[in-house]
Amino acid sequence: MPDSAAIDALVRRVRAGDSESFGELVRAFEWPVRAWITARCPAGADADEVAQLTFVEAFKNIGRYEPGTDFAAWLFTIARYQVMGELTRLRRLADYHERYFPHALALELERRAVSEEPVEEKRLVALRSCLAELGEPARHLLDQRYTHEVPLQRIADGLGRSEGAIKKSLFLIRKKLHECLRRAPGAGAEAGA
Amino acid sequence: MTPEFETLWQDFTDGRLDADGFAALERMLRADPALCALAAELYAEHRLIGLALRPDPEGRFAAATVERLAQAGRKFSDQVQLRLGLDRAPRRSLLPRWLPYAVAACLMVAIAAVWRWSPATVAAPVSEHLATLVRAEGCVWDGATGMTAGHRLLAGPLRLSRGQALVRFDGGASALLTGPVDFTVDSAGGATLAHGSVTIRVTEHAAGFTLHTPASEVVDLGTEFAVAVARDGATEIQVLEGEVELHARQQTSRTPRNLRAGQALRLRGADDRDGQPIPFTAERLEVSLGRVAAGPDTGRLLAHESFTYRMSRTFSNQRQADGGSGWQGAWFRNSPQTDLEILFGVDASLEAPAGLVAPAGGRLVLPSEPERPDTYRFACMRRLGTPIDPDVDGTTYVSALINRSTMPAGPTHHWFRFMLVSERVPRDRMGFGVLSDFLPQVTASQGNVSGVAPIVAGRPYLFVAKLVTGHAAPDQMFLKVYDHDQRIDTGEPENWTVIGRTYHLTSRIDAIHIYNGTECSYDVDEIRIGTSWLSVTPRQ
């Protein structure tokens, strides 16, 4: 992550018409912003879409940023606005909370979107380390579920196991990752509370 | 986390929750802010797992973002020129003017409503109960006495010289111990078997269970397996149903071995990496349980009130309502300043669920404010003949028939409370009741926990509460609510309707308070206090 002086220099170059400098800003803040938004977007929201809109809005308003202040805080204010807008949009959908996402959880995510410091990049780094500690069968199962979104029954059929065993395996893997994250310095639950 | 929440949460994250499941999850999250905060953490982790695993060629996101700007229909340089122009002159904000105020308001709300993982008012427990001894037949314990069915267990050894014991872990697994066995409760979802035989059954909805032995670690993947450890450390594992993950102590790779139903393996000891198949001989847990007949209930009924009174009302100073057994003195209102009456429904007992001893006599009537002004202000109170000492390890059961007799006469304030209290230190109290949203609740000074299914007017419910007290562990109340047409469990239920927060009672519990307020009337009947489940749920 560039230091604040380097960031401000990039901002000045963007204002002067240097497109590549904006790309550098995006690359510098890509993972903190994507991780923070991903952790707060409810079902039905495309987190990367919201993250892109955050950067688009930042670009459109780059003239409002004052060099010498905190660019990350300014950028995350925009991210909060984008996430709150998405939460509001989804809340207005009929049946959304009865079928897709509990209302109480959506309210808690809103509260966190407003009040919490962004520590998700640290959690993402810690999570990658925790994932690396898993055995290959566990990694394969997570890939099937998260990356390829294969239904549980098909995963079970492919592995010659019962759906119940796959469910329980996923539960245990998630629990292991949760405990690993809690142990990671600066990335545990209290870090974002 | 309860097994019920874990099941709902798992289904939610895997996109398998139906409408009923959503409704149940919503109710659980609304009822418990700490659980909601935990759910938000778990949700964030779930989403971050997806992000971490996603194949993401370097620079793709940044390139796509810059490309998006280029596709906006104006040249990149034109936009920058426009920004340069705006830099030199005052410009209209492109963000809504209300945004800073909305953010400030939300921050104020967030500061005012701080969620925590656990209530700040709960004193950190010395230790925590992790399991319940559900059944104990002919048990001779090595180093422990007085452990009967219902006893809550801390982490630590359970050495059974003789007999059969069924232990239910808070994580949802059940373990059948057949003496002699040297067994240790490690956590709500784990145990260690040093020697002896156990059969572990994990319900479909439970989180899983890990059993450590000298030679291995056996991780349940659903649902039943038997393990026997010999004195020399040789371990036999037999899978009765479902699948287990077996991690041998000497295993060098991170890949465990899976055993499935019908498979049986023996590990010679801690240095045996592979084990040898053996004939399958294990017996199902239910079959083993059925071989040993249940002994007589050893519990005592400490107090009973069936409201068999001839008068429809009395006053505190008349001391007329002194029936039943196990009490000290008559019913009275809990303030000497009041002359409010205490009301009864003569010969109008509430109907009990099928199978229980039929009620006799009448009922206690708690009118609403519109029906009888001010009677809600002071609780109906009675002193216990046998107070409960919270510093003594034990369990006390309380049951009562409760009927919400009318629809509420107003929009708010229709609650009911049945509290076990210390007369000397009124803030030391724990009990159960019904909230304004008609949800059953366990209530204590440090916080309340609600159930998810509302109480319906005009139908009597059987409330059965279990108060666990002890010297080394915090006190806690569990509540089970039965609808009129529900079958009553013959022993401790596998699932409780509400599990209250832990707390440290410091004073003797020597009275009960019963009260309601204000816009809804309630009736109470057949109050029982005893030392066992069966003592407060007597059968016909």
Side-chain angles (χ1 to χ4, degrees):
Chain A
M1 175 73 71
D3 63 20
S4 53
I7 290 170
D8 285 352
L10 286 170
V11 170
R12 289 192 187 92
R13 289 207 286 274
V14 171
R15 285 173 169 172
D18 180 357
S19 59
E20 183 51 36
S21 293
F22 182 72
E24 277 191 52
L25 278 174
V26 173
R27 280 187 288 275
F29 287 94
E30 170 186 348
W31 286 109
V33 168
R34 287 177 76 189
W36 189 90
I37 290 173
T38 297
R40 281 158 184 78
C41 264
D46 183 333
D48 273 357
E49 170 73 9
V50 175
Q52 274 198 357
L53 286 173
T54 296
F55 285 108
V56 168
E57 282 299 314
F59 172 74
K60 283 159 66 175
N61 293 280
I62 200 72
R64 293 177 60 82
Y65 168 70
E66 291 184 32
T69 60
D70 187 341
F71 183 82
W74 181 80
L75 184 62
F76 273 97
T77 301
I78 297 173
R80 284 193 176 97
Y81 173 67
Q82 294 296 328
V83 168
M84 296 288 279
E86 191 64 8
L87 286 166
T88 303
R89 178 185 74 81
L90 291 168
R91 200 186 320 133
R92 291 184 184 142
L93 292 179
D95 296 333
Y96 177 72
H97 291 296
E98 285 77 41
R99 296 170 61 191
Y100 299 110
F101 206 79
H103 186 64
L105 184 56
L107 289 177
E108 177 65 14
L109 292 183
E110 269 190 47
R111 184 194 73 79
R112 288 170 180 234
V114 171
S115 63
E116 286 185 349
E117 290 298 315
V119 294
E120 270 69 22
E121 191 190 12
K122 282 185 192 168
R123 292 179 81 184
L124 191 61
V125 169
L127 183 59
R128 287 191 173 121
S129 172
C130 295
L131 285 166
E133 291 174 13
L134 295 176
E136 184 49 39
R139 283 292 305 255
H140 175 72
L141 185 52
L142 288 179
D143 273 337
Q144 291 282 292
R145 168 67 187 87
Y146 282 91
T147 308
H148 304 291
E149 296 183 4
V150 178
L152 294 187
Q153 185 59 61
R154 273 188 38 205
I155 297 176
D157 292 343
L159 294 173
R161 296 167 67 185
S162 70
E163 189 181 350
I166 297 300
K167 271 181 72 171
K168 198 154 282 189
S169 292
L170 274 174
F171 174 86
L172 292 171
I173 295 167
R174 286 167 177 150
K175 189 174 170 185
K176 197 178 280 190
L177 292 173
H178 174 71
E179 286 163 2
C180 180
L181 274 176
R182 286 183 67 87
R183 288 193 300 269
E190 64 283 354
Chain B
M1 282 194 281
T2 62
E4 186 189 1
F5 171 76
E6 285 173 343
T7 301
L8 289 171
W9 186 257
Q10 176 91 338
D11 285 342
F12 166 65
T13 52
D14 289 325
R16 298 162 62 89
L17 210 56
D18 60 15
D20 288 343
F22 260 100
L25 182 60
E26 182 77 59
R27 283 193 295 266
M28 291 179 86
L29 295 178
R30 280 195 197 176
D32 189 347
L35 185 67
C36 194
L38 173 62
E41 285 299 326
L42 294 173
Y43 179 76
E45 285 172 14
H46 166 66
R47 297 278 291 182
L48 288 175
I49 291 171
L51 184 63
L53 288 171
R54 190 179 312 165
D56 218 13
E58 197 173 325
R60 181 192 65 86
F61 178 84
T65 303
V66 174
E67 175 65 21
R68 187 171 181 144
L69 291 172
Q71 288 174 356
R74 279 187 274 177
K75 286 187 178 178
F76 189 93
S77 58
D78 288 344
Q79 290 176 291
V80 173
Q81 289 301 321
L82 190 64
R83 295 287 90 73
L84 284 174
L86 290 170
D87 276 345
R88 285 192 277 269
R91 58 185 171 278
R92 186 171 55 86
S93 168
L94 296 177
L95 293 174
R97 267 187 293 174
W98 52 260
L99 177 62
Y101 300 106
V103 170
C106 288
L107 279 170
M108 287 172 63
V109 169
I111 290 167
V114 175
W115 306 117
R116 298 184 64 111
W117 282 79
S118 60
T121 54
V122 174
V126 173
S127 46
E128 206 173 302
H129 291 121
L130 302 169
T132 303
L133 178 64
V134 175
R135 184 171 150 161
E137 305 299 344
C139 289
V140 175
W141 299 96
D142 182 12
T145 57
M147 285 212 296
T148 56
H151 189 92
R152 291 281 284 158
L153 301 169
L154 303 168
L158 281 178
R159 296 192 183 97
L160 184 62
S161 303
R162 198 167 69 231
Q164 187 188 73
L166 183 65
V167 175
R168 188 172 297 135
F169 286 77
D170 287 2
S174 296
L176 183 67
L177 283 57
T178 305
V181 62
D182 186 344
F183 186 80
T184 301
V185 173
D186 295 330
S187 69
T192 299
L193 179 64
H195 76 80
S197 300
V198 298
T199 304
I200 308 286
R201 178 165 183 83
V202 187
T203 62
E204 184 188 320
H205 301 295
F209 188 83
T210 301
L211 182 71
H212 302 270
T213 74
S216 66
E217 188 177 280
V218 185
V219 181
D220 153 76
L221 293 178
T223 54
E224 190 168 330
F225 60 98
V227 179
V229 177
R231 296 263 179 194
D232 62 1
T235 301
E236 293 183 355
I237 304 111
Q238 305 192 49
V239 183
L240 291 146
E241 186 178 327
E243 194 173 333
V244 301
E245 256 179 20
L246 183 65
H247 300 255
R249 292 273 173 231
Q250 286 300 318
Q251 195 171 300
T252 51
S253 87
R254 277 181 289 187
T255 305
R257 180 174 179 170
N258 283 30
L259 293 180
R260 296 185 191 158
Q263 290 184 304
L265 191 78
R266 182 175 189 274
L267 294 164
R268 284 191 310 273
D271 57 354
D272 187 349
R273 278 193 299 183
D274 302 312
Q276 306 81 40
I278 56 172
F280 193 91
T281 58
E283 188 175 69
R284 299 299 297 258
L285 185 147
E286 290 299 327
V287 172
S288 300
L289 267 179
R291 288 189 186 285
V292 178
D297 178 40
T298 56
R300 285 188 301 135
L301 182 65
L302 300 175
H304 180 214
E305 169 65 271
S306 60
F307 299 102
T308 309
Y309 299 115
R310 303 313 311 165
M311 65 284 188
S312 62
R313 67 176 193 163
T314 187
F315 295 89
S316 301
N317 58 3
Q318 290 179 338
R319 303 179 200 277
Q320 285 179 306
D322 61 353
S325 63
W327 307 98
Q328 196 182 87
W331 286 96
F332 60 102
R333 291 279 184 178
N334 72 327
S335 168
Q337 279 78 40
T338 182
D339 57 358
L340 288 171
E341 57 204 353
I342 301 165
L343 300 168
F344 303 109
V346 179
D347 292 331
S349 57
L350 293 176
E351 202 173 337
L356 291 190
V357 167
R363 64 175 81 171
L364 176 68
V365 175
L366 304 172
S368 66
E369 170 77 346
E371 292 168 330
R372 268 306 212 284
D374 292 338
T375 58
Y376 72 92
R377 292 184 182 277
F378 302 101
C380 295
M381 179 169 169
R382 200 161 186 195
R383 295 189 177 104
L384 304 178
T386 307
I388 301 166
D389 187 345
D391 215 31
V392 172
D393 292 349
T395 48
T396 304
Y397 296 82
V398 180
S399 71
L401 289 170
I402 292 164
N403 178 55
R404 178 163 69 86
S405 54
T406 61
M407 293 303 292
T412 57
H413 303 145
H414 22 90
W415 39 261
F416 168 83
R417 291 277 186 271
F418 188 120
M419 304 300 292
L420 301 172
V421 307
S422 163
E423 201 173 357
R424 190 176 60 84
V425 185
R427 70 172 182 278
D428 247 352
R429 50 176 48 209
M430 200 176 273
F432 55 88
V434 184
L435 276 186
S436 287
D437 52 8
F438 309 125
L439 295 178
Q441 186 184 61
V442 169
T443 300
S445 305
Q446 83 289 3
N448 307 324
V449 183
S450 297
V452 295
I455 303 297
V456 175
R459 284 156 63 161
Y461 290 77
L462 179 69
F463 281 57
V464 187
K466 171 184 173 181
L467 175 63
V468 178
T469 56
H471 179 70
D475 309 309
Q476 193 171 19
M477 180 169 276
F478 301 77
L479 178 68
K480 182 73 177 180
V481 179
Y482 294 95
D483 199 343
H484 182 259
D485 49 13
Q486 262 182 293
R487 190 185 68 82
I488 310 299
D489 293 281
T490 53
E492 286 248 340
E494 198 160 321
N495 297 301
W496 294 91
T497 306
V498 187
I499 297 177
R501 296 189 197 283
T502 55
Y503 185 55
H504 279 287
L505 292 164
T506 57
S507 311
R508 276 191 346 160
I509 299 299
D510 50 16
I512 59 172
H513 282 189
I514 305 177
Y515 51 104
N516 69 320
T518 57
E519 294 156 349
C520 195
S521 54
Y522 278 85
D523 302 317
V524 180
D525 197 5
E526 294 300 322
I527 298 173
R528 288 185 171 86
I529 302 176
T531 61
S532 71
W533 177 266
L534 282 178
S535 69
V536 300
T537 58
R539 308 303 151 119
Q540 286 178 344

